[in-house]
Amino acid sequence: MSTTSAEAAIRTALHEALTSSLVTSNAADDHALAVYSCSLAAHVVLRHDPHAVALVIGEGDSPNWRSARSVVGADGTLRPLTEDENDDLDEDDVVPNLVDGNAAAWRPLCIRSEHRDGEYHLDLAQARDAGIALLTT
């Protein structure tokens, strides 16, 4: 599956999972929503920066409000999101889907989790691959 077709398939699956989750509110839909959200975020960042390793996600005033904050490069340095990355992540509206209720699905995809500080480093390769794997199940 090419990056373009994989990203499109993940985007479609995410919208289906979101719709289903809103209707049924069951654990399987919440799990799929979280995994597809992480996977699409990873696809977006990796499309812009193929050498990025993590997306830093931070909590806002509410523990269930999260946003993309920055990107960790291959050398471990943090950089701010580019305007294009930020616009694409906002357009797909994926990070707000990562809530406490589905944390069991998305937190294992993080290489660093500072729950106390409200900061999570989403492993881009692992998140991308988790979404693709879920498509094939």
Side-chain angles (χ1 to χ4, degrees):
M1 204 178 263
S2 72
T3 302
T4 305
S5 64
E7 185 175 334
I10 295 292
R11 184 174 281 108
T12 299
L14 171 62
H15 290 293
E16 290 170 359
L18 180 58
T19 300
S20 184
S21 178
L22 292 172
V23 172
T24 65
S25 297
N26 70 41
D29 290 334
D30 287 345
H31 176 85
L33 177 63
V35 172
Y36 288 137
S37 293
C38 289
S39 185
L40 185 55
H43 278 281
V44 166
V45 173
L46 290 169
R47 180 169 24 92
H48 291 282
D49 181 355
H51 303 292
V53 296
L55 174 65
V56 179
I57 297 169
E59 290 183 354
D61 295 334
S62 164
N64 272 331
W65 184 87
R66 294 180 173 87
S67 63
R69 300 249 171 101
S70 53
V71 174
V72 179
D75 62 357
T77 60
L78 266 135
R79 67 162 177 80
L81 291 165
T82 66
E83 189 173 323
D84 287 342
E85 289 167 338
N86 197 43
D87 288 348
D88 287 352
L89 288 168
D90 283 349
E91 181 180 323
D92 288 320
D93 204 27
V94 292
V95 176
N97 294 326
L98 307 178
V99 296
D100 289 348
N102 59 22
W106 64 266
R107 283 193 185 146
L109 299 174
C110 295
I111 51 177
R112 181 174 162 211
S113 179
E114 298 293 333
H115 181 67
R116 185 175 19 132
D117 299 329
E119 186 172 282
Y120 308 90
H121 290 212
L122 180 67
D123 181 318
L124 297 176
Q126 187 178 359
R128 178 198 58 212
D129 295 347
I132 292 170
L134 190 56
L135 284 175
T136 62
T137 60

